Amino acid sequence: MSTNLAPLFVRGIDENIYTVIQGYEAIWKKIFHVHPTKMRYIDHQTWSGYGLPQARIPGERIADGSFSPSFSKHYVIRNFGLKDSFPEEDIDDDLYGVINRVIPAKAGLFARTFMDLMEYDTANLLANQGFASGTQVAGSPDGRSLFSLSHPISVSLSTQTAANRPTVEVDMSVAGAQAAATAIRLQKAPNNLTIIPNEVAKVVYNPGLTYIAHQVYKGKWEPNTANRNENVLNKKNVELIEWPYWNKSGAQGTNNAWFVLGRMHHLHFFMRQGVRPKSQSDINTNSNILAATCRFDEGWTDWRGTWGTTGL
């Protein structure tokens, strides 16, 4: 129950600040593939394709081939909720309509916190499980972090690995962006043969890197060089995504981690139930109860189509 609401009953306040917070377009929706669902869990299965056909002479037996299941991902819908209550006397005496009108409104504090929840939840997933160490990372199909130096190629080729992270972390720069783009273009399918046709479509970063991101991806000339080199990156039409909830730092920098997404990637967000507000009266305490719930889950089915670094 909210307490210390005395300012709402005092005459002469000209403006109540931060009772309404205007939002902006949800950034996480630009990063994840968003799917409505009616299910409590969702299963994704990746497959390892065939090997190469073998040379043969006329009359010789044709070599056998097969495809097989690779890593799978099990998404389990999670439940979230928040509740508050207000005495009817406080609602009646509220001179500014904050309790009954402003707080529950679309941009009000109560509704806004659910918008913040989705931003924080998705950002924390990518910042924590995205760069975790070890081979048993929670929620990871292959046990590795999303950005790893040692992704098993597939279940059947588990001793062969691939990386979607630089061996030495790199700050956002022309060289780093070129390395990311090259890595995305050369990623192979789970058969470790087929090169996936892909290009960098989006780069995600904290607002602290905004000016650098524009120099690197949108500048006509390569920045910070004495040579007048044309910046080829600006021809790729990469979408710049400034995400203030993305707070991941390198060993020396602050909020300097960044990552790219290919036109094809496998980050998914499943919305089972959007924010659903409810209210009712409690006759025992003569109070009005306000509650809301939502249900969703997010994660990645496969690491391909992504590349990231914590920065230096």
Side-chain angles (χ1 to χ4, degrees), residues 18-299:
Y18 292 134
T19 56
V20 173
I21 302 177
Q22 295 298 327
Y24 47 81
E25 182 182 3
I27 303 300
W28 59 267
K29 290 184 179 181
K30 298 181 179 181
I31 298 170
F32 289 78
H33 298 300
V34 182
H35 316 274
T37 182
K38 295 182 179 180
M39 303 170 65
R40 285 198 171 190
Y41 62 87
I42 300 93
D43 287 310
H44 284 184
Q45 178 67 58
T46 62
W47 291 84
S48 181
Y50 291 97
L52 293 174
Q54 300 298 305
R56 57 183 291 274
I57 61 176
E60 186 178 17
R61 182 175 178 175
I62 297 175
D64 291 327
S66 66
F67 72 100
S68 59
S70 188
F71 295 104
S72 61
K73 169 65 177 177
H74 185 61
Y75 295 87
V76 179
I77 299 299
R78 294 171 292 147
N79 305 316
F80 301 87
L82 186 67
K83 176 173 66 68
D84 200 358
S85 62
F86 303 93
E88 292 288 351
E89 293 85 354
D90 285 353
I91 296 174
D92 292 340
D93 296 342
D94 178 4
L95 299 177
Y96 308 97
V98 169
I99 297 175
N100 216 24
R101 176 174 54 83
V102 178
I103 296 298
K106 185 175 182 180
L109 291 181
F110 198 82
R112 176 67 206 185
T113 193
F114 282 90
M115 298 171 64
D116 290 339
L117 165 69
M118 296 176 194
E119 297 284 3
Y120 276 112
D121 202 63
T122 50
N124 288 340
L125 170 77
L126 297 179
N128 296 330
Q129 281 93 319
F131 292 97
S133 59
T135 59
Q136 299 294 327
V137 176
S140 171
D142 63 5
R144 305 318 195 267
S145 58
L146 174 60
F147 307 110
S148 173
L149 294 171
S150 59
H151 287 291
I153 291 296
S154 65
V155 169
S156 59
L157 299 175
S158 59
T159 59
Q160 301 182 44
T161 61
N164 64 336
R165 178 177 179 175
T167 305
V168 177
E169 306 295 349
V170 59
D171 286 332
M172 186 182 289
S173 62
V174 170
Q178 290 175 346
T182 301
I184 289 289
R185 287 197 296 267
L186 294 179
Q187 289 175 347
K188 292 182 179 180
N191 65 355
N192 206 27
L193 293 170
T194 305
I195 296 177
I196 302 169
N198 208 359
E199 292 282 347
V200 172
K202 303 175 181 181
V203 56
V204 184
Y205 51 89
N206 180 273
L209 296 179
T210 294
Y211 304 107
I212 295 174
H214 278 270
Q215 288 178 338
V216 169
Y217 283 95
K218 301 302 180 182
K220 184 175 181 180
W221 311 106
E222 290 186 359
N224 305 317
T225 176
N227 298 319
R228 196 171 175 82
N229 294 332
E230 182 182 10
N231 186 7
V232 180
L233 290 168
N234 72 0
K235 300 180 182 299
K236 298 298 183 178
N237 198 29
V238 175
E239 181 181 357
L240 306 185
I241 300 180
E242 178 183 299
W243 199 10
Y245 292 86
W246 172 248
N247 299 302
K248 181 68 177 179
S249 302
Q252 303 175 28
T254 301
N255 297 335
N256 58 328
W258 56 286
F259 63 93
V260 300
L261 301 174
R263 302 189 189 284
M264 179 281 296
H265 68 82
H266 303 282
L267 301 183
H268 297 281
F269 185 104
F270 294 95
M271 180 67 79
R272 176 63 182 87
Q273 174 207 312
V275 180
R276 181 182 295 168
K278 295 181 180 180
S279 63
Q280 69 177 36
S281 296
D282 180 3
I283 194 172
N284 293 309
T285 62
N286 193 34
S287 297
N288 185 272
I289 302 172
L290 175 65
T293 59
C294 66
R295 304 167 64 191
F296 63 83
D297 191 42
E298 79 277 347

